[in-house]
Amino acid sequence: MKCHRGQLIIILACLVVYSCTIFEKDFDNPVDFEANEEKGIGAPTLVFYPKTQTKTTSDSVIVGSFIVFNEDSTKPFAGIHLQIEFPNTLLELDTIKPGLFITDTSNATPLFTYTFDSINTIDIYAYFLDTLKKDLEGTGHLADLVFNPTSTGSDSVSYDLNACEMIDHEDNIIVLKGDRGAEVIVQ
Amino acid sequence: MKKLPKYFLFLFLGSLYSTNLEPTFLVLNHFDKFLPNADSSLIENFSNSTFEFDSTFQILFEDIDNHENPAASHMVTIKELGEKYQVNYILFNRIEHINDRFILNGLLFNTRSGGLIHRRKIDLKQYLNGQINELNMWVGNTVGQVEKNWENNRKSILFSDPEEINYQKTPRGAAIRSLAAPGWGQAYSGKKISAGLWASTESSLSIAAIISFLNYDKAAKSFKKNSKLYHGTNDEKEVANYRTAAENDWNDHVTFSALAIAFAGATGTGWVANSVHAWIVGPRAYKNLYQKWDPKSPNTTG
């Protein structure tokens, strides 16, 4: 009887202790400048969202391209050049759509064009033109890249930061301090 | 030489007279409750002795223990009383009742010397005619005349064999009750205040533990929800808001987790301590053990 009572007390104590599990903080959204800073990636940063996605071969893979600023140190910009590389053994390019951030509230697309080398490199050029504003400021959506899976496997889409460029309306370069790729898993 | 036979005759008659002389007592009874047959019982049971009764000296012997030499504390008064009442002894009997017990304090003084020659203090549970019976035994001891049935009367309430004692309440019973419900064991032992304290303390700690756990659970669920929303959006404002909310939830769930564990630990420790306390203050044998009075037992007291 004493043994059972002791076991009961131990079980209750374990229940109390283990039922109060402390969860791990996992803040790793690429659009979150704090999460990027915690990983040692400075702002402004070029990122993809989502950072990882799993699709089947019949699905489309949509990767969003974003510019992320620290909200305390944003810099106005007017134009951007993105060079993106993707695994052509896994994906083929389907479409590239301008992001909401640079189309402005009128949903117009002032200047948005891209080139594809037919292998695995995409160059996107976007320039913000508006009747009232000269610049954009803050974190925002630049483009959506739509791919079709060609085989199964996993690989990543990434920026070539050396080739990427951001300028203000006076053609001054704004230094990009980091980038984050996106992982694509095709099953 | 002619006077010698006359001297021996006086001596013989004197000694004969003195050996047959009944001891005479001045009895000073001081009872906090009226005992109707106390005086008559002494007269009936000790026919070889002569008793005078006077209850006006109530406070005379109250302070006897405060004297450096209690036996010689009232020598002058005793001698004076002896001469006044023409008695050999003064017997002071005081009976006090405390709850279901009574205390008999008996003092026997010799009026020739004025000293205290015999003393008895008895603390007993009340039994039927117990006060009279104890008074008889006390006086019987002083005059060397103790009847067997008086002793049997007293023995009738005492357990002769400890094996026959059936403890209705035990420390173990108190401990088990307190383990089941804090304070129950103390209440079972008649410790109402500590029972209330334990019950309220354990209740408060338990409620605090439960409230902390519920808050922890709420914060943990909210943290998971906000974390999911945080990862599920690419809107910078929503990301910032969900992150702030999730971080607040995380801090809350850590705080409430610590509180829940602390309160639960305190509750558990207190629970065990309460059981141990119940065992310590549990009901135990106190002074004399008495069995229930058997009305069929012969009552031979006055």
Side-chain angles (χ1 to χ4, degrees):
Chain A
M1 183 66 187
K2 279 181 182 175
C3 181
H4 288 298
R5 204 180 300 152
Q7 285 174 349
L8 184 68
I9 290 167
I10 290 166
I11 289 167
L12 285 173
C14 290
L15 269 176
V16 170
V17 171
Y18 289 110
S19 61
C20 290
T21 308
I22 301 299
F23 294 96
E24 194 179 337
K25 271 201 274 190
D26 178 28
F27 297 118
D28 189 20
N29 188 326
V31 183
D32 180 9
F33 75 90
E34 288 183 71
N36 294 335
E37 281 182 353
E38 284 163 9
K39 289 184 174 296
I41 303 166
T45 319
L46 288 172
V47 301
F48 291 111
Y49 180 91
K51 65 175 179 176
T52 182
Q53 57 185 305
T54 303
K55 299 285 181 181
T56 63
T57 49
S58 57
D59 294 330
S60 290
V61 176
I62 302 171
V63 181
S65 172
F66 289 78
I67 178 73
V68 178
F69 279 93
N70 183 328
E71 64 182 10
D72 296 328
S73 58
T74 57
K75 289 180 181 171
F77 71 95
I80 193 158
H81 167 218
L82 306 173
Q83 189 170 89
I84 297 164
E85 292 176 354
F86 67 93
N88 56 1
T89 55
L90 187 68
L91 304 169
E92 67 174 10
L93 183 64
D94 184 338
T95 320
I96 295 176
K97 294 188 279 190
L100 294 170
F101 191 46
I102 59 169
T103 54
D104 198 15
T105 51
S106 64
N107 285 327
T109 309
L111 175 62
F112 187 88
T113 183
Y114 68 90
T115 59
F116 176 42
D117 67 354
S118 301
I119 305 172
N120 69 338
T121 304
I122 305 162
D123 284 283
I124 299 173
Y125 301 90
Y127 205 91
F128 179 70
L129 298 169
D130 189 81
T131 53
L132 300 173
K133 292 199 306 184
K134 293 177 182 173
D135 302 296
L136 287 168
E137 195 167 349
T139 297
H141 186 198
L142 301 173
D144 268 336
L145 290 82
V146 183
F147 298 99
N148 292 320
T150 52
S151 62
T152 57
S154 69
D155 212 325
S156 58
V157 181
S158 59
Y159 295 99
D160 182 352
L161 195 62
N162 293 324
C164 294
E165 196 176 46
M166 187 160 64
I167 55 169
D168 64 12
H169 69 275
E170 291 176 336
D171 209 21
N172 296 316
I173 290 176
I174 298 166
V175 179
L176 293 164
K177 292 185 178 171
D179 69 297
R180 290 186 70 177
E183 186 185 24
V184 178
I185 301 164
V186 181
Q187 293 176 331
Chain B
M1 284 299 285
K2 285 182 181 178
K3 287 182 179 177
L4 198 62
K6 195 183 280 180
Y7 173 78
F8 277 111
L9 179 66
F10 279 121
L11 190 64
F12 173 73
L13 287 172
S15 62
L16 187 67
Y17 179 77
S18 65
T19 51
N20 288 335
L21 199 63
E22 294 175 345
T24 52
F25 293 87
L26 170 62
V27 181
L28 311 176
N29 284 335
H30 177 32
F31 307 143
D32 62 351
K33 287 182 184 174
F34 178 62
L35 296 175
N37 300 321
D39 297 352
S40 59
S41 171
L42 291 179
I43 294 167
E44 285 171 18
N45 288 316
F46 303 99
S47 53
N48 293 334
S49 304
T50 306
F51 295 96
E52 295 284 339
F53 296 92
D54 193 333
S55 57
T56 56
F57 301 94
Q58 290 187 354
I59 58 169
L60 185 59
F61 305 104
E62 294 281 340
D63 62 341
I64 193 164
D65 287 323
N66 296 332
H67 287 76
E68 191 176 340
N69 182 8
S73 57
H74 296 288
M75 293 181 87
V76 176
T77 311
I78 297 297
K79 284 179 181 175
E80 285 174 359
L81 286 171
E83 285 178 13
K84 181 182 174 185
Y85 287 91
Q86 290 298 301
V87 291
N88 308 121
Y89 303 100
I90 292 177
L91 190 62
F92 175 76
N93 303 314
R94 184 169 63 212
I95 295 180
E96 289 175 304
H97 294 82
I98 300 170
N99 298 326
D100 62 340
R101 306 181 72 81
F102 70 91
I103 298 167
L104 168 64
N105 197 356
L107 305 171
L108 181 68
F109 297 92
N110 189 324
T111 55
R112 186 191 291 177
S113 65
L116 176 68
I117 58 171
H118 197 183
R119 186 174 188 185
R120 173 166 290 187
K121 190 169 185 178
I122 300 168
D123 181 354
L124 272 177
K125 189 173 182 177
Q126 291 186 42
Y127 58 96
L128 190 61
N129 289 326
Q131 294 89 333
I132 303 295
N133 195 56
E134 292 300 324
L135 203 57
N136 284 333
M137 287 184 72
W138 151 237
V139 176
N141 265 310
T142 64
V143 299
Q145 182 195 330
V146 178
E147 292 186 15
K148 198 73 181 170
N149 54 8
W150 299 339
E151 292 179 334
N152 290 339
N153 265 349
R154 181 197 277 176
K155 283 181 182 173
S156 64
I157 61 162
L158 299 173
F159 283 90
S160 54
D161 184 359
E163 295 296 320
E164 292 175 6
I165 299 170
N166 179 22
Y167 295 98
Q168 290 185 338
K169 291 185 175 181
T170 60
R172 190 181 172 200
I176 290 170
R177 279 167 177 79
S178 271
L179 205 58
W184 186 13
Q186 284 81 357
Y188 164 83
S189 308
K191 316 282 185 204
K192 297 287 166 58
I193 294 173
S194 62
L197 282 173
W198 276 112
S200 55
T201 304
E202 283 298 304
S203 303
S204 305
L205 287 170
S206 303
I207 289 168
I210 290 167
I211 289 172
S212 299
F213 179 77
L214 291 175
N215 282 329
Y216 156 82
D217 192 48
K218 187 180 170 188
K221 282 177 180 167
S222 182
F223 169 73
K224 285 196 272 187
K225 181 187 163 195
N226 283 319
S227 289
K228 193 176 177 183
L229 290 168
Y230 163 85
H231 286 105
T233 183
N234 55 22
D235 183 283
E236 60 165 338
K237 287 179 182 171
E238 286 184 356
V239 165
N241 290 338
Y242 290 138
R243 179 176 177 131
T244 304
E247 281 187 330
N248 288 337
D249 292 335
W250 191 86
N251 291 335
D252 286 348
H253 102 295
V254 168
T255 304
F256 286 120
S257 168
L259 283 174
I261 290 170
F263 281 127
T267 305
T269 309
W271 206 298
V272 174
N274 145 70
S275 182
V276 172
H277 177 259
W279 184 83
I280 290 168
V281 302
R284 285 179 171 79
Y286 164 74
K287 292 185 177 176
N288 302 319
L289 289 173
Y290 304 99
Q291 60 179 323
K292 195 177 177 183
W293 173 259
D294 181 6
K296 292 175 185 171
S297 173
N299 173 26
T300 55
T301 55

